[in-house]
Amino acid sequence: MIGWIITAVIVLIVLVSLFAYNRFIVLRNRIDNAWAQIDVQLKRRYDLIPNLVETVKGYAKHEKKVFEEVTKARSALMGATSLGDKAKANNQLTATLKSLFAVAENYPKLEANENFKMLQEELAGTESKIAYARQAYNDSVLSYNNSTEMFPGSVIAGMFSFKQREFFKTEGERQSLSR
């Protein structure tokens, strides 16, 4: 009888361990997928910016400093490798884009330009998609990190080196580029 109880306990421990390990794999893959979605939207925004800058340049040629800052921030975002660096570069790019739109407000003909309006709307839509993807990523990270800290997941996480993940943080609340 004791042999059956010991066997049952061992089987139960193995099953719980397998379930916890597989859960970590699923959560880790969700995080990777969510990050890929953020990356896709960041690249989409990256591709939109040159068109926007060129459109604004046609009306505001003497605003060279703003154009240089946007270009520098854009390059920094694509050159960033770590999550923290990407978040910091994303915040900088958002700030420089706000400056670009502030410049555009001084040029009524630019504001009336259909190409500018279209690019502005597309960029605002992309910003919304980035915010949504960031939220999905952070939700996935929260679930994963909670699992690595709670028992019995913390034991399995330690045994198989599942480390906590970093959240994608932005400065302040959602930063809108549209008016």
Side-chain angles (χ1 to χ4, degrees):
M1 183 70 168
I2 293 177
W4 285 106
I5 293 174
I6 292 173
T7 302
V9 169
I10 290 173
V11 167
L12 182 63
I13 290 172
V14 168
L15 288 174
V16 167
S17 297
L18 284 172
F19 175 77
Y21 179 82
N22 287 336
R23 177 163 167 71
F24 281 118
I25 298 297
V26 167
L27 292 172
R28 185 179 63 192
N29 290 341
R30 281 188 188 149
I31 290 170
D32 293 342
N33 179 56
W35 175 249
Q37 298 306 313
I38 291 173
D39 207 35
V40 163
Q41 296 306 322
L42 291 176
K43 286 177 182 167
R44 184 171 188 261
R45 180 173 65 171
Y46 177 86
D47 292 340
L48 286 171
I49 291 171
N51 296 334
L52 185 66
V53 168
E54 287 304 314
T55 301
V56 175
K57 269 185 185 179
Y59 289 86
K61 290 180 171 70
H62 61 280
E63 303 286 352
K64 186 176 179 182
K65 183 180 178 197
V66 173
F67 302 134
E68 288 173 354
E69 289 174 358
V70 170
T71 301
K72 182 179 172 186
R74 178 179 175 261
S75 296
L77 179 61
M78 292 317 288
T81 54
S82 73
L83 179 64
D85 289 344
K86 282 202 181 220
K88 184 178 176 183
N90 178 60
N91 291 336
Q92 183 62 38
L93 182 57
T94 300
T96 61
L97 287 173
K98 283 183 177 185
S99 297
L100 183 68
F101 285 117
V103 164
E105 288 177 2
N106 296 326
Y107 298 90
K109 287 184 181 179
L110 172 60
E111 293 244 304
N113 179 294
E114 287 302 316
N115 189 39
F116 178 76
K117 284 181 183 178
M118 182 192 70
L119 288 168
Q120 190 176 24
E121 287 174 18
E122 227 176 300
L123 193 57
T126 300
E127 292 295 330
S128 294
K129 290 175 185 174
I130 290 170
Y132 178 79
R134 186 180 63 242
Q135 182 64 46
Y137 173 84
N138 285 340
D139 288 346
S140 296
V141 168
L142 178 64
S143 294
Y144 176 84
N145 287 349
N146 284 343
S147 294
T148 64
E149 292 180 6
M150 295 187 300
F151 184 81
S154 59
V155 175
I156 303 302
M159 287 173 47
F160 293 101
S161 300
F162 288 102
K163 304 289 184 209
Q164 287 204 339
R165 294 287 189 99
E166 188 177 346
F167 289 97
F168 189 85
K169 299 175 186 167
T170 60
E171 295 174 0
E173 292 298 312
R174 182 173 175 263
Q175 301 168 349
S176 177
L177 294 175
S178 62
R179 287 193 265 153

